[in-house]
Amino acid sequence: MAALAETAVTTVGGIADLAAAATAASGGGDTAPVGPGLFLAVINADASPHTATIATPGTVNGHAIADATLTVAAGDTGIIPLTNLFRGETGRASITYDGVTDVTVAVLKLGA
């Protein structure tokens, strides 16, 4: 499991090359920081769709909250907020993938 670091997306310059900021998704999953302004970008260059699952460790009135999933079509990019809802015991989100062939990911901090 790799620990993803955030990439700042400044209000002045933005981010011109998302692919350059991304790293290969790990077959065993990744962890990522969570909090306001943080997002996970999933870039799928594969010929098949892929799904990223973010564990939701909390409960509401004793009931488990369903994990969040983001399915990204072949050749497309998806983005999902990394809110505090996903904060695990380590203080980070736990992310798994149904496949990692030609899948890259980036954690973006917006408005930094």
Side-chain angles (χ1 to χ4, degrees):
M1 202 171 257
L4 301 174
E6 64 186 62
T7 297
V9 180
T10 64
T11 55
V12 175
I15 186 167
D17 191 355
L18 179 57
T23 185
S26 295
D30 293 312
T31 66
V34 298
L38 288 169
F39 292 80
L40 175 69
V42 179
I43 304 165
N44 181 9
D46 195 19
S48 300
H50 285 291
T51 301
T53 301
I54 305 173
T56 309
T59 61
V60 174
N61 295 326
H63 299 282
I65 302 168
D67 292 342
T69 59
L70 174 67
T71 300
V72 181
D76 211 349
T77 299
I79 189 168
I80 187 168
L82 290 171
T83 68
N84 285 315
L85 178 67
F86 303 119
R87 185 179 303 276
E89 290 180 8
T90 64
R92 297 173 64 85
S94 179
I95 307 159
T96 56
Y97 313 97
D98 70 338
V100 295
T101 301
D102 293 325
V103 175
T104 57
V105 292
V107 175
L108 306 174
K109 172 85 174 170
L110 300 181

